[in-house]
Amino acid sequence: TWSSMSTTSASGPNCAMPTPAPDFVALDHQGKKVKLSDFRGKVVLLNFWASWCGVCKTEKPSIKAMADNLSSDDFVVITLASDHSWTDILLALVDSLAPGQKPKGEVSFDQALAAYQKALPDGIPFKVFIDPPSNDGNIGAITQSWGITAVPESALIDRQGNLRAYFVNKRDWTTNVAETCIRSVIDE
């Protein structure tokens, strides 16, 4: 459902809304540290996902379309990938956003980056940060710290850094209901 998270959520933060979003430090594709709080003053849709998650990949086209549609100085989409390598992330983005253009077989980082740049020459309208899992785990440390045990899940965060809505599993972010939910926080 498109409602605010309840106090009986099966996964994700277990709290009443609004509540401060837990801050974190993740890495961008250049290894630069980025904090969630760096985006204070903007409405943030934070999407937790992973390259190995087929459902996450099916959700990416609607996230891209929504981010394209709602892109502004007041709104940013951040995706946090529970992955061990940027190669896997780049290949998953190509696979989901440019079907049929993912290289076959073993691919190096440079080959994955070249495939990404060729398939998506204008880039993507959302930010991607890496959240490496510990050891052989599947879920990244930041994602786990939010109480998330399965991806995809998403959180809508207001300009003050408060969680306003929480969404379990994938969504079609291009629906009128999704846009209304996000715009209601942007337009406050």
Side-chain angles (χ1 to χ4, degrees), residues 49-50 52 82-84 131-134 136-145 148-151:
W49 72 291
W52 46 262
S82 285
D83 278 285
H84 292 282
D131 179 21
S134 301
D136 292 334
N138 285 338
I139 302 296
I142 296 166
T143 304
Q144 285 181 6
S145 76
I148 298 169
T149 58
V151 291

Side-chain angles (χ1 to χ4, degrees), residues 4 16-22 36-46 74-76 78 146 155-167 181-188:
S4 293
M17 297 292 172
T19 190
L36 177 60
S37 58
D38 293 342
F39 299 93
R40 196 81 28 93
K42 295 178 184 257
V43 173
V44 175
L45 180 74
L46 176 61
D74 294 331
F75 178 67
V76 63
I78 296 172
W146 275 57
L156 185 61
I157 303 164
D158 67 20
R159 286 178 182 80
Q160 293 75 41
N162 293 311
L163 284 170
R164 297 295 293 277
Y166 191 81
F167 311 99
C181 178
I182 294 168
R183 281 199 185 278
S184 70
V185 177
I186 294 171
D187 293 343
E188 286 182 345

